[in-house]
Amino acid sequence: MRKIIPCLLFAGAVLAAFLGVQSAPSAQAGSTGVTTGRQAPDDPTRSAHPVVIELFTSQGCSSCPPADLLASRLAKDQSLLVITRPVTYWDRLGWKDTLAREANTRLQRAYAAKGNEGAGVYTPQIVVNGGDGAVGSREGDIRSLVRRADRRGPLITASTDPSGRIMVAISGTSDFMASVSLIALSSAETVRIGRGENGGRTMHYTNVVKDERVLGSWRGKSEIYAVPARYLKTSGADRYAIIVQRPGAGTIVAAKLLDM
């Protein structure tokens, strides 16, 4: 582990060997508070309230391939919404990540600043519903966080109006405000890595973020948001998701993968 604080360098190296992670160079998911009923863990309708798993990864991180593979398996579970967010800070190791976005790096740092369980700026890392995190290759830890996730968020539904626009409806009540965002995703990416720690390897990625747009704010009552057609034409994207998240990289209270 490459630690940010020099005095922790040795301890960090030992911990890295145990965890299999890489800390970034220097440079507990809260309750939603929404008044919808809690669903039982085995409720088949729980896919209406998928738990969001954000994977922070990098083509320049030798510890990341197992996490990338795990993400592709988890994405097959309809009760989960897996989002891959490649970061930029390992580009200095000799290979510029072809999928990385600076916005992903900023989001990870914002999550880390909250000090939740598993917080930090390292790869591979997963963050569940914008709250607690874990090493991205540790399936048991990830499953544990998913089981603890709050599924009482607002309900998101989508339909198409006569003009062909997608109309997103969010129903439920709460005492907080949240942003409503459209995330453009590439369901599958294959990259041949030429240099760096993974040089010579061919990597596969799932649900990679291509773009993000804020549709508006949700103020704790039923509202409808129109998705302009141009928002659904992001280069490289073949699927789109709606995320409802509290301000300041807060808790993700609802999510839905749109049927396109």
Side-chain angles (χ1 to χ4, degrees):
M1 180 184 291
R2 298 176 177 84
K3 296 298 289 182
I4 298 173
I5 305 174
C7 68
L8 296 180
L9 183 60
F10 177 74
V14 174
L15 185 59
F18 178 71
L19 293 178
V21 302
Q22 291 181 252
S23 290
S26 180
Q28 169 182 56
S31 174
T32 61
V34 178
T35 60
T36 56
R38 177 178 291 279
Q39 297 170 310
D42 59 350
D43 188 339
T45 65
R46 63 184 178 149
S47 59
H49 293 85
V51 174
V52 178
I53 293 178
E54 294 174 286
L55 170 64
F56 295 93
T57 185
S58 173
Q59 294 168 15
C61 162
S62 60
S63 302
C64 287
D68 301 323
L69 181 61
L70 175 59
S72 69
R73 288 198 290 108
L74 294 175
K76 297 176 182 178
D77 184 340
Q78 292 187 358
S79 72
L80 306 176
L81 173 54
V82 173
I83 297 175
T84 298
R85 292 185 174 277
V87 297
T88 57
Y89 47 78
W90 291 126
D91 289 354
R92 66 179 181 82
L93 296 183
W95 175 256
K96 183 176 175 59
D97 192 306
T98 61
L99 302 173
R101 303 175 71 244
E102 190 59 38
N104 295 336
T105 302
R106 290 196 300 269
L107 178 60
Q108 188 186 32
R109 294 189 184 280
Y111 283 152
K114 293 185 172 296
N116 292 322
E117 178 183 328
V121 181
Y122 59 90
T123 54
Q125 181 195 41
I126 63 92
V127 173
V128 174
N129 274 359
D132 293 338
V135 176
S137 55
R138 293 197 159 193
E139 184 170 2
D141 293 346
I142 296 169
R143 295 285 188 185
S144 178
L145 291 178
V146 168
R147 286 192 295 271
R148 288 159 42 190
D150 194 330
R151 296 179 184 266
R152 294 177 296 178
L155 179 65
I156 303 174
T157 57
S159 60
T160 304
D161 72 4
S163 69
R165 291 185 308 173
I166 289 182
M167 308 300 290
V168 174
I170 301 178
S171 59
T173 60
S174 76
D175 57 0
F176 60 79
M177 185 173 70
S179 65
V180 181
S181 297
L182 177 74
I183 314 294
L185 303 169
S186 172
S187 59
E189 294 277 350
T190 299
V191 180
R192 175 73 174 175
I193 300 175
R195 298 184 302 280
E197 293 189 353
N198 289 317
R201 302 183 70 168
T202 298
M203 305 301 300
H204 303 281
Y205 302 94
T206 301
N207 289 347
V208 179
V209 175
K210 291 296 185 178
D211 192 25
E212 302 176 70
R213 296 176 182 268
V214 176
L215 299 178
S217 296
W218 183 65
R219 296 175 173 83
K221 61 181 181 180
S222 295
E223 295 189 49
I224 296 177
Y225 306 82
V227 181
R230 67 181 184 279
Y231 286 8
L232 303 174
K233 297 179 181 179
T234 299
S235 177
D238 59 356
R239 57 177 50 173
Y240 295 83
I242 299 294
I243 300 291
V244 182
Q245 185 167 23
R246 299 184 70 166
T251 304
I252 293 175
V253 299
K256 179 179 178 59
L257 188 64
L258 297 179
D259 295 324
M260 302 294 294

